[in-house]
Amino acid sequence: MKRIKILLLFCLIIISLMVISGCNQDKSVLNIYNWGQYIDTDLLTKFEKETGIKVVYELFETNEHMLAKIESGSSNFDLVFPSDYVIEEMISKDMLHKIDFNNIPNFQYIDNRFRNLEYDPTNEYSVPYFWGTLGILYNSEEVTQNVDSWSILWDEKYTGQILMLDSMRDTIGVALKLNGYSLNSVDPVQLEEAKKMLIEQKALHNGYYVDETMDMMINGDANIALNWSGAAMDIYWQGAEHIKYALPKEGSNLWVDCMVIPKTSENKKEAEMFINFMLDPDNAYQNTEYVGYATPNQIAFERMLEENPEVTDMDAYNPSQELLDKCEVFIDLGDNREMYNQLWTEIKVY
Amino acid sequence: MKNKAKLLAYPYVVWIAIFIIVPLVLVLVYSFTEGNIHNPSSLTFSLKSYDKFFNILYLNILWKSFKLAFISTFLCLILGYPVALIISKAKAKYKGILLLFFLVPIWMNFLLRTYAWMAILSPNGFINRLLQLIGLPTLAIMPGQTAVVIGMVYNFLPFMVLPIYTVLSKIDKNVLEAAMDLGANKIITFIKVIFPLTVPGIISGITMVFMPAVSTFVISQLLGGGKELLIGNLIEQQFTVQRDWHFGSALSIILMIMILISMAFMSKADKDDEGGAALW
């Protein structure tokens, strides 16, 4: 009998706990879906303290995984961080809410260069978060020549020391750029040329990798690698100063990761509050200092250059306007994706 | 009593239904349709994905996957049989330890073991540094097919050794003594008695190694540097980067059928269905 009483008491406690925690649900919630290691988590705590909104934070690994999850309709994210060409696709598929910029006064700090870009021409759906370029990482102790062209990735002198990216758009884009074409080209002749070059290049390079590239560069397994400026900054902040980054003169890809509000969101107001919070110059500075990527927030960016003058001359953080002008943003392939897919498979097989 | 035992099977039946049958049916449906995956009403019957597969490009990938898986399975057999023999012949008190030595590496994460091989085989890795130290020219093993095969053999070898070992240790000592009494020497005993008795173990070992080897995508990505595209990689890409779930599903079905056919061949060769096969 005593046991049953204890059991009943236990049930009572659990039920009351559930009721109490249920009451807590009244507190508003913000569901965020972001890349791994792409935010200073102290900022999340700060936001929770300032607003009383509870942040639920989840991570994704690639744009495609994120898109699949949102498309399946099984999620209720309020704020997502996709890259440029994915935003274009999401807009065309009617997956995004228009953002009410009246709720985001801090948008004024966003550098003009990152407004109204091709993927969101009227800038109604997205707010830039971080930006960067695609370029060449090289070990300056082994590669003594001046690195300023994609052609070094095809230089026989470096056979077996080159790493390419296991990323379809980037790798094909580089071959297109070296030939003087747009990296958004859908011209079959230009793409065929790029394919041939990339197949020939397979005899020279040591594989298509993504996450492993940084370690292999630091270990000396490779001396030249195609990679993003963010990785270069990561390596720099880790202290491997002999590994440098070059943005080739032929031009490259400029990428912008943004904050968007998917249609599945039930807390649009809270999402806009968070966007405004992240655009506050102090918060943006704290975030760029922590993550290491370049921020589109002009005030935070200038403060970064002031406090870390050495990054001013680095292509990875602050490329010259002349080079940036030659860079292009990726445009969604739409129906041409199939052609790219086929090409990419052929490159990898032969 | 018998009925009660049947009841115990229900959780497993439910498990199979939810996690094996339903996904398989989904894959089958996707493979025979086209349209938007996330909008079931837009799906229409189509053989496009299968039609797409019959292209020299994709057949090439399938051929390469089977070739590498076959080589790896063969090497596993050559390396694994003697190991199983040695362990089964060892004194009882060493048996446990020998087996443990063999099993401990599998307790480590599969991905971790493959990364370890990257560190060993890479251009500036362990092997090449050792070669440099003694003044020999370095080897360019990774990335390449050799590295992929090494990775497969290392990762799947235990699946070959264990079934063979189980069968070997079940052989009745009296049978061997009878062979000796009838005048067979050690070699004849092995060829005429031991080996035929271990065939079921070999068969299940081959299946256990061949199946993961033919469908792997991690080993070929990491040790092949993405230059050795296997059928597993192709399927993985359809579901991630290329986002063609219909084609990915069709490829999975084709691979499954190919594996089933090879299994059917194997089980035909394996007249005696007990023994090693029962282990798995």
Side-chain angles (χ1 to χ4, degrees):
Chain A
M1 201 53 205
K2 203 177 175 189
R3 268 193 199 165
I4 293 179
K5 270 186 191 163
I6 291 174
L7 205 71
L8 277 174
L9 193 72
F10 191 66
C11 288
L12 205 70
I13 291 172
I14 288 193
I15 291 169
S16 52
L17 272 178
M18 280 162 87
V19 172
I20 292 168
S21 62
C23 290
N24 261 341
Q25 292 290 322
D26 285 349
K27 210 166 118 182
S28 39
V29 182
L30 180 65
N31 300 299
I32 299 181
Y33 199 29
N34 196 357
W35 301 80
Q37 298 186 326
Y38 212 37
I39 199 167
D40 180 355
T41 42
D42 288 349
L43 286 170
L44 297 178
T45 326
K46 191 177 167 197
F47 178 74
E48 283 183 327
K49 257 191 202 149
E50 276 181 16
T51 59
I53 297 169
K54 188 175 167 350
V55 174
V56 181
Y57 196 72
E58 267 187 66
L59 303 174
F60 63 84
E61 207 174 297
T62 69
N63 277 312
E64 282 71 21
H65 284 128
M66 177 274 298
L67 205 56
K69 191 154 180 180
I70 298 204
E71 269 191 319
S72 71
S74 60
S75 59
N76 61 340
F77 297 114
D78 301 307
L79 197 65
V80 189
F81 294 66
S83 309
D84 34 49
Y85 66 102
V86 179
I87 296 168
E88 191 184 354
E89 184 179 346
M90 291 175 99
I91 294 173
S92 73
K93 285 187 174 168
D94 195 29
M95 290 166 71
L96 297 181
H97 272 305
K98 280 193 181 175
I99 294 170
D100 185 355
F101 282 88
N102 291 326
N103 293 335
I104 308 176
N106 286 340
F107 188 72
Q108 56 171 309
Y109 301 120
I110 292 290
D111 191 333
N112 267 328
R113 292 186 294 181
F114 303 108
R115 295 184 191 195
N116 306 330
L117 289 169
E118 285 95 327
Y119 52 86
D120 183 9
T122 47
N123 217 126
E124 292 174 287
Y125 297 93
S126 61
V127 173
Y129 181 65
F130 279 125
W131 65 277
T133 52
L134 176 71
I136 299 170
L137 279 180
Y138 63 97
N139 182 340
S140 58
E141 283 163 9
E142 301 287 333
V143 182
T144 44
Q145 75 180 86
N146 185 23
V147 181
D148 66 348
S149 163
W150 293 122
S151 60
I152 196 166
L153 297 172
W154 275 263
D155 192 335
E156 281 171 29
K157 207 163 57 183
Y158 300 109
T159 303
Q161 304 175 28
I162 301 167
L163 289 180
M164 290 300 281
L165 263 182
D166 191 11
S167 171
M168 178 173 82
R169 293 295 306 266
D170 294 296
T171 296
I172 296 178
V174 163
L176 288 167
K177 269 290 180 200
L178 180 54
N179 286 340
Y181 305 131
S182 158
L183 46 72
N184 289 309
S185 170
V186 288
D187 178 347
V189 180
Q190 295 177 359
L191 285 170
E192 195 63 24
E193 242 177 90
K195 181 185 97 183
K196 280 212 183 97
M197 281 174 69
L198 288 167
I199 291 174
E200 273 167 29
Q201 189 208 21
K202 280 178 83 179
L204 307 178
H205 73 72
N206 242 353
Y208 301 102
Y209 289 102
V210 179
D211 297 336
E212 294 79 16
T213 308
M214 257 167 65
D215 280 338
M216 290 172 93
M217 284 297 289
I218 293 172
N219 284 344
D221 287 326
N223 292 323
I224 299 173
L226 179 64
N227 216 315
W228 296 286
S229 56
M233 290 314 294
D234 233 358
I235 291 177
Y236 175 75
W237 297 124
Q238 279 180 30
E241 285 182 26
H242 63 289
I243 294 173
K244 298 204 163 27
Y245 178 87
L247 189 58
K249 60 181 183 220
E250 293 93 355
S252 175
N253 167 237
L254 167 71
W255 54 261
V256 186
D257 288 344
C258 297
M259 296 180 268
V260 299
I261 306 175
K263 282 249 159 103
T264 51
S265 164
E266 286 160 5
N267 306 296
K268 186 164 179 269
K269 252 222 154 71
E270 285 78 2
E272 281 162 353
M273 280 169 77
F274 187 82
I275 296 176
N276 196 45
F277 172 83
M278 289 310 289
L279 293 189
D280 175 83
D282 283 339
N283 295 339
Y285 176 75
Q286 188 182 333
N287 206 25
T288 183
E289 201 189 24
Y290 179 87
V291 179
Y293 284 51
T295 173
N297 189 306
Q298 202 159 7
I299 304 212
F301 189 73
E302 276 161 14
R303 185 168 153 204
M304 191 73 191
L305 298 188
E306 251 167 54
E307 297 197 12
N308 303 281
E310 76 276 14
V311 302
T312 315
D313 297 326
M314 288 170 65
D315 276 354
Y317 200 84
N318 186 28
S320 71
Q321 195 55 42
E322 186 196 349
L323 281 174
L324 268 187
D325 285 342
K326 288 184 195 153
C327 289
E328 291 174 89
V329 180
F330 278 133
I331 292 174
D332 180 38
L333 291 169
D335 294 339
N336 291 307
R337 180 197 308 284
E338 179 65 16
M339 187 165 67
Y340 263 73
N341 284 348
Q342 175 89 13
L343 212 70
W344 185 231
T345 310
E346 282 176 40
I347 291 167
K348 286 201 146 184
V349 173
Y350 296 120
Chain B
M1 193 59 209
K2 230 179 181 180
N3 277 334
K4 273 190 183 160
K6 253 187 193 169
L7 274 180
L8 285 175
Y10 276 113
Y12 182 60
V13 171
V14 172
W15 176 272
I16 286 185
I18 298 176
F19 294 108
I20 298 179
I21 311 242
V22 171
L24 257 177
V25 169
L26 272 179
V27 169
L28 204 63
V29 168
Y30 284 157
S31 77
F32 280 109
T33 48
E34 58 179 322
N36 184 356
I37 292 282
H38 304 295
N39 180 8
S41 60
S42 77
L43 295 179
T44 49
F45 177 81
S46 157
L47 288 173
K48 208 177 97 190
S49 304
Y50 288 96
D51 187 44
K52 187 174 169 185
F53 174 74
F54 289 101
N55 173 317
I56 188 76
L57 179 68
Y58 301 119
L59 292 172
N60 240 327
I61 298 174
L62 193 68
W63 162 241
K64 196 197 249 177
S65 310
F66 272 82
K67 190 181 80 183
L68 291 187
F70 183 80
I71 295 173
S72 309
T73 313
F74 182 72
L75 288 175
C76 277
L77 182 60
I78 300 280
L79 290 171
Y81 201 100
V83 173
L85 210 57
I86 291 166
I87 298 180
S88 73
K89 286 270 159 64
K91 282 186 188 139
K93 61 174 176 178
Y94 298 126
K95 241 181 214 177
I97 297 172
L98 279 176
L99 219 50
L100 197 69
F101 274 141
F102 215 75
L103 288 175
V104 165
I106 341 182
W107 297 347
M108 232 186 327
N109 185 287
F110 169 78
L111 206 57
L112 210 62
R113 280 180 279 148
T114 310
Y115 270 111
W117 271 106
M118 278 180 80
I120 295 171
L121 298 176
S122 64
N124 210 3
F126 179 73
I127 287 183
N128 278 336
R129 286 200 181 172
L130 207 67
L131 287 175
Q132 272 172 340
L133 210 66
I134 50 177
L136 289 169
T138 56
L139 299 167
I141 306 172
M142 196 199 95
Q145 294 193 357
T146 320
V148 176
V149 169
I150 292 176
M152 285 185 186
V153 171
Y154 175 76
N155 277 311
F156 304 136
L157 189 59
F159 299 121
M160 182 65 86
V161 173
L162 291 178
I164 297 178
Y165 164 75
T166 319
V167 182
L168 273 172
S169 55
K170 275 202 286 190
I171 293 178
D172 193 345
K173 289 275 180 305
N174 293 329
V175 178
L176 302 184
E177 277 165 17
M180 296 286 197
D181 283 347
L182 292 169
N185 61 25
K186 276 189 170 173
I187 295 168
I188 300 282
T189 315
F190 178 77
I191 296 173
K192 295 254 173 175
V193 181
I194 299 181
F195 187 77
L197 282 174
T198 53
V199 167
I202 295 174
I203 303 268
S204 72
I206 289 177
T207 8
M208 289 304 296
V209 172
F210 188 76
M211 279 194 297
V214 79
S215 57
T216 183
F217 62 92
V218 176
I219 297 176
S220 48
Q221 169 57 37
L222 292 179
L223 295 172
K227 284 161 126 184
E228 305 299 338
L229 197 71
L230 299 187
I231 188 86
N233 301 86
L234 192 63
I235 295 175
E236 187 251 359
Q237 292 215 335
Q238 301 313 313
F239 288 97
T240 55
V241 194
Q242 311 205 342
R243 276 188 287 149
D244 188 348
W245 289 26
H246 299 291
F247 187 46
S249 302
L251 287 172
S252 311
I253 295 284
I254 289 167
L255 181 61
M256 238 183 292
I257 291 171
M258 298 290 285
I259 291 177
L260 278 177
I261 292 174
S262 14
M263 297 252 291
F265 267 112
M266 294 307 280
S267 63
K268 218 173 185 184
D270 178 17
K271 288 166 215 135
D272 181 16
D273 226 351
E274 54 175 340
L279 186 70
W280 304 98

